[in-house]
Amino acid sequence: SQDWAEMLYRMYSRWANKNGYILKELEFLEGDEAGIKSVTFLVSGENAYGYLKSENGVHRLVRLSPFNANNLRQTSFALVEILPRITADTDVQIDEKDLRIDVYRSGGHGGQSVNTTNSAVRITHLPTNTVVAIQNERSQLQNKEKAMEIVRGKLVQMQLEQHAETIGELRAGESAGWGQQIRNYVLQPYKLVKDTRTGYEETDPDAVLDGKIDGFIDKYLEMQM
């Protein structure tokens, strides 16, 4: 699954580059042996959220495992969360008592100075158990601001999914999350990428994993009209 997460990150990076969007990595947690455990990145450009919201959900990969000595077929899952960018405190009302903020020492991927100070920040929204950790910025204040921005985006996304009028109405564990498998990427025994919501298909998974996802995006947007 960690290798699959890295493949998806590459897919979105290629898509962003081909479409003139700017992608900035905010948080990167390396895998135990290969791939990545998680990555948070910002895609900037006109209508970026409007296009990419179609990617929100669980992505399923079926292939011959490169990590299995017997070369057996393997199924992997990765969760993609697409969040709106909410930069102003006034746009989302969050009660301060609902937040727990932890500071810890940065480490790993992120640059030479990442290990020098206790600058990494983890923010937990207690009512919904929403956790965001950021360490890639240079200062604790910058990491806190970026983490709060992502927390706001997560809560707004949950608000949409739960049809809640306010943040105070949100409940933990009631968003789509792992329960929504949106797309299957089959590399063995045949080649096919199929969206479970729209029925749209591509028979060249290599092209899709190289960033050719516009067909899936367009079909999803058509269905929402």
Side-chain angles (χ1 to χ4, degrees):
S1 294
Q2 293 174 9
D3 181 54
W4 174 221
E6 185 172 46
M7 291 167 67
L8 286 172
Y9 182 34
R10 176 182 179 275
M11 181 180 79
Y12 293 123
S13 299
R14 293 292 182 92
W15 178 85
N17 183 60
K18 290 176 181 178
N19 287 276
Y21 290 103
I22 298 173
L23 187 148
K24 179 185 178 182
E25 188 177 295
L26 303 177
E27 180 70 357
F28 187 101
L29 186 59
E30 294 179 342
D32 296 323
E33 296 180 2
I36 55 179
K37 290 183 178 179
S38 67
V39 60
T40 304
F41 55 91
L42 172 67
V43 180
S44 302
E46 187 175 2
N47 297 321
Y49 174 72
Y51 286 120
L52 285 174
K53 65 182 180 181
S54 64
E55 301 302 297
N56 190 74
V58 175
H59 296 244
R60 173 176 174 262
L61 173 69
V62 179
R63 62 172 174 173
L64 296 179
S65 174
F67 304 103
N68 188 298
N70 296 320
N71 203 31
L72 298 176
R73 193 167 58 173
Q74 180 186 56
T75 300
S76 302
F77 298 88
L79 174 64
V80 175
E81 293 183 289
I82 306 298
L83 311 174
R85 188 182 185 192
I86 311 294
T87 57
D89 291 342
T90 54
D91 292 338
V92 180
Q93 299 298 323
I94 303 175
D95 195 327
E96 288 290 328
K97 69 179 177 57
D98 289 338
L99 298 176
R100 185 178 71 231
I101 301 176
D102 301 307
V103 177
Y104 59 99
R105 186 172 295 277
S106 302
H109 188 91
Q112 290 182 344
S113 66
V114 78
N115 291 313
T116 59
T117 62
N118 290 331
S119 61
V121 175
R122 182 190 299 109
I123 298 179
T124 305
H125 182 251
L126 299 172
T128 60
N129 196 32
T130 298
V131 182
V132 174
I134 295 293
Q135 69 173 26
N136 280 25
E137 301 296 334
R138 294 297 182 183
S139 72
Q140 183 184 126
L141 178 61
Q142 288 175 313
N143 281 323
K144 181 181 178 182
E145 290 175 348
K146 188 59 64 177
M148 274 304 304
E149 185 178 311
I150 297 172
V151 167
R152 294 187 200 105
K154 281 180 173 284
L155 294 181
V156 167
Q157 183 65 28
M158 289 180 68
Q159 198 173 348
L160 292 172
E161 293 172 356
Q162 295 185 18
H163 307 290
E165 292 187 7
T166 66
I167 296 299
E169 296 177 11
L170 294 178
R171 297 169 297 279
E174 292 195 19
S175 296
W178 286 100
Q180 184 183 3
Q181 184 173 304
I182 66 162
R183 193 173 302 150
N184 295 310
Y185 303 71
V186 181
L187 306 186
Q188 289 287 342
Y190 53 89
K191 292 184 178 293
L192 182 70
V193 183
K194 183 173 182 177
D195 197 286
T196 61
R197 303 158 301 175
T198 65
Y200 182 83
E201 299 178 354
E202 290 278 0
T203 56
D204 187 352
D206 292 335
V208 173
L209 293 172
D210 199 38
K212 186 186 175 185
I213 59 173
D214 295 281
F216 295 99
I217 291 172
D218 293 343
K219 192 66 176 179
Y220 178 84
L221 293 176
E222 288 176 13
M223 191 180 71
Q224 300 303 304
M225 293 180 180

